Amino acid sequence: MGSQSRRPVVQMLERFAEGGPVSFHVPGHKNGNLTGLPDAVQGMMSWDVTELPGLDDLHAPDGPIREAQELLADAYGAHRSFFLVNGSTAGNLAMILAVCRPGDRIIVQRNAHKSIFHGLVLAGARPVYVDPVWDANTRSPGHTETELVREAIGMYPEAKAVILTNPTYYGRVSPHMREIADVCHGAGIPLLVDEAHGAHFGIGAPFPESSLFQGADVVVQSAHKTLPAMTMASFLHVAQGSLLDSQRISYYLGMLQSSSPSYPLMASLDDARHYIANYSEKDLQTFLSFRKELIAGLDALDGLSVIQPDDPLKLLLRADGHSGNDLSEALARVGVHTELSDPYQALLVLPLLKDGQISLQEVLSAARKAAETLGPGRKTGQPPEPATKPAITAADGPPEVRPEASSEWINYREAEGRLSAASVIPYPPGIPLLLPGEPITGEKIRSLHQHLTAGTAFQGTHRLDVQQILVSRQSPEAYYI
């Protein structure tokens, strides 16, 4: 294997741009010469090229792109790794399509990203949902426990795969991944993991171990979320000894990804792999020192408190008597932007520093100003824990929007006991609160009301501006088995 100090795609594009090429090919901006975009963007466009001689081809790599992907697999200990230029969404869709056919059962952690549910629709799969446990520390759904997965496989032995999310958006890491992998493999089915927020796992303690090293067969990671990669730049890894053929993954990635993949994104992925492969113990100590000082500084501010989830790259910030949405808006007004907010907290994604690229004092000064502008708070309380234990729910079809002829719009407060006919998705984090064909419980109505009261933004099919959601005319018994 080549040296992890190399960046084959970056070096390839540097050499090409230095040659002063004349463009009579696509793209139409002609090496940036015809664009009206600012200089900062125009300078990058000399790298925005196409599959020219010597520049290799992502869909049939045999040069620098192939070498870069081999270096990626070596860095992460995978059998085979792929660059994703259509985000982790493309990887999630590909692994689902590669494992099942229309009508097949597939076991899915209920608090998955919307792209997982979209993959089930595209595949025509029949999901078996396994609920997560409630995590009181992060005030959010956490991981799925081993026994529930074991029970689901026992109930549906024909299932083609188990799909988990690890870590959660809020930085909660499953302590059961290795056990669940053993259960899956004992039943002869692969374990697929959406590890979008774990591209930095594997650096070493105190960071968690990647699912790839705990028995997962396929792992998808968003390099752009926690590594220094551009938006949409992601990785897909197929494990050594995987139960899923990497050629099937490659086949579907060829269908799902653009036939004109972005070379700047590929260079960004090459650079992100280089960054983490060469992350040293000194770098780690730099990051941990920054994190420790940041936590101490934020905790010292009147009215603010910091919660530390499993992933050291995530922090939850709460303001006494204020919603997370209020806190996030106050921080944005002073130039500090959080990853997401919910009715209880704001989520910070820290930079994986190698040196002091961020002024800690500027951040703390801005946070102090934000806290002062919030003023006296009101009692927000704790989110109610689910009244029911984690359960297994199987649908007789994929989670696709019900036909309008068989659905109707009603006030969400009156929807308890009905079947949802569409997705309702707080975004971020992109985890559907309601899925098509899913029974609407009192707990879900209360959660929806809390999000609306706090000003959360929603995706999906809804009319929440007039407090309406789409429900099926069918009874729950007609859809769930």
Side-chain angles (χ1 to χ4, degrees):
M1 181 53 59
S3 168
Q4 290 292 344
S5 65
R6 284 181 47 76
R7 295 183 299 171
V9 176
V10 173
Q11 292 159 350
M12 170 186 74
L13 293 174
E14 282 179 328
R15 288 193 300 269
F16 182 79
E18 288 168 357
V22 177
S23 172
F24 286 102
H25 55 78
V26 299
H29 59 68
K30 306 302 179 184
N31 297 325
N33 292 322
L34 304 186
T35 185
L37 292 171
D39 291 345
V41 179
Q42 183 178 347
M44 180 197 69
M45 295 176 81
S46 63
W47 284 27
D48 185 35
V49 289
T50 189
E51 290 80 3
L52 300 172
L55 294 186
D56 211 354
D57 180 350
L58 177 65
H59 295 295
D62 61 2
I65 296 175
R66 177 176 178 174
E67 181 187 355
Q69 291 188 138
E70 289 174 345
L71 286 170
L72 175 63
D74 181 61
Y76 280 86
H79 164 64
R80 189 174 179 187
S81 294
F82 298 88
F83 283 172
L84 305 179
V85 295
N86 287 60
S88 287
T89 291
N92 286 339
L93 299 181
M95 70 182 184
I96 292 172
L97 290 168
V99 80
C100 65
R101 295 290 179 267
D104 283 347
R105 285 285 183 198
I106 192 162
I107 298 169
V108 185
Q109 182 173 324
R110 175 57 184 80
N111 57 327
H113 187 261
K114 63 178 183 175
S115 60
I116 294 293
F117 301 110
H118 293 166
L120 299 177
V121 173
L122 290 176
R126 297 187 297 158
V128 176
Y129 299 125
V130 287
D131 289 344
V133 296
W134 178 257
D135 183 52
N137 185 46
T138 62
R139 299 181 181 177
S140 66
H143 58 269
T144 297
E145 296 191 316
T146 307
E147 287 310 309
L148 200 62
V149 175
R150 192 193 312 275
E151 184 179 349
I153 292 174
M155 293 170 64
Y156 299 94
E158 72 277 17
K160 299 300 182 181
V162 171
I163 304 177
L164 300 182
T165 300
N166 187 60
T168 68
Y169 211 123
Y170 288 80
R172 184 72 171 94
V173 175
S174 171
H176 308 307
M177 189 61 63
R178 198 178 301 276
E179 292 178 356
I180 292 175
D182 289 342
V183 169
C184 292
H185 295 160
I189 60 176
L191 174 60
L192 316 180
V193 179
D194 176 0
E195 198 170 86
H197 286 260
H200 59 295
F201 286 7
I203 289 175
F207 286 99
E209 192 175 37
S210 171
S211 304
L212 194 67
F213 295 110
Q214 299 183 71
D217 293 271
V218 180
V219 171
V220 176
Q221 299 172 329
S222 293
H224 68 93
K225 292 190 186 300
T226 58
L227 301 183
M230 294 170 64
T231 297
M232 293 177 63
S234 297
F235 300 142
L236 184 149
H237 307 289
V238 181
Q240 304 282 352
S242 173
L243 295 180
L244 191 55
D245 184 3
S246 63
Q247 284 300 117
R248 290 189 60 78
I249 295 284
S250 179
Y251 170 73
Y252 282 105
L253 286 177
M255 294 174 61
L256 294 164
Q257 300 214 89
S258 171
S259 59
S260 300
S262 165
Y263 277 80
L265 283 182
M266 287 187 279
S268 178
L269 285 166
D270 192 23
D271 183 63
R273 182 273 314 159
H274 177 271
Y275 189 93
I276 192 148
N278 293 281
Y279 201 80
S280 68
E281 180 62 28
K282 180 181 178 182
D283 297 329
L284 177 59
Q285 294 308 315
T286 297
F287 165 76
L288 293 176
S289 176
F290 168 84
R291 180 178 182 272
K292 181 179 180 180
E293 291 182 40
L294 176 63
I295 292 171
L298 291 173
D299 261 334
L301 297 179
D302 188 36
L304 295 186
S305 58
V306 178
I307 288 77
Q308 303 178 46
D310 301 326
D311 179 4
L313 217 58
K314 300 284 182 73
L315 294 177
L316 295 170
L317 189 61
R318 296 174 187 159
D320 294 345
H322 293 277
S323 73
N325 305 76
D326 291 341
L327 174 58
S328 185
E329 289 173 5
L331 287 166
R333 287 193 292 269
V334 294
V336 176
H337 298 276
T338 63
E339 171 62 15
L340 66 79
S341 58
D342 64 27
Y344 306 99
Q345 59 212 340
L347 173 65
L348 311 183
V349 181
L350 305 186
L352 189 63
L353 295 175
K354 285 194 173 183
D355 52 46
Q357 295 115 317
I358 290 182
S359 171
L360 184 62
Q361 292 310 312
E362 287 182 12
V363 172
L364 293 176
S365 176
R368 182 180 297 105
K369 291 178 183 177
E372 290 171 351
T373 64
L374 285 172
R378 58 193 183 280
K379 187 173 182 180
T380 56
Q382 294 276 349
E385 295 195 18
T388 56
K389 293 181 179 180
I392 298 167
T393 312
D396 69 355
E400 56 191 342
V401 175
R402 304 288 98 186
E404 287 192 15
S406 63
S407 58
E408 60 181 332
W409 292 98
I410 67 170
N411 188 290
Y412 75 89
R413 293 184 180 89
E414 302 169 358
E416 186 171 359
R418 302 290 297 271
L419 286 177
S420 176
S423 294
V424 177
I425 310 168
Y427 199 89
I431 297 167
L433 180 62
L434 296 175
L435 286 167
E438 184 174 52
I440 301 171
T441 64
E443 288 175 3
K444 290 186 179 294
I445 292 173
R446 286 190 292 274
S447 179
L448 177 56
H449 179 73
Q450 289 167 343
H451 277 290
L452 288 171
T453 301
T456 301
F458 285 88
Q459 293 183 350
T461 302
H462 61 82
R463 294 177 180 172
L464 289 174
D465 56 330
V466 292
Q467 301 186 341
Q468 289 185 339
I469 59 175
L470 194 64
V471 300
S472 174
R473 297 182 189 275
Q474 291 178 298
S475 67
E477 291 76 17
Y479 193 77
Y480 274 76
I481 59 176

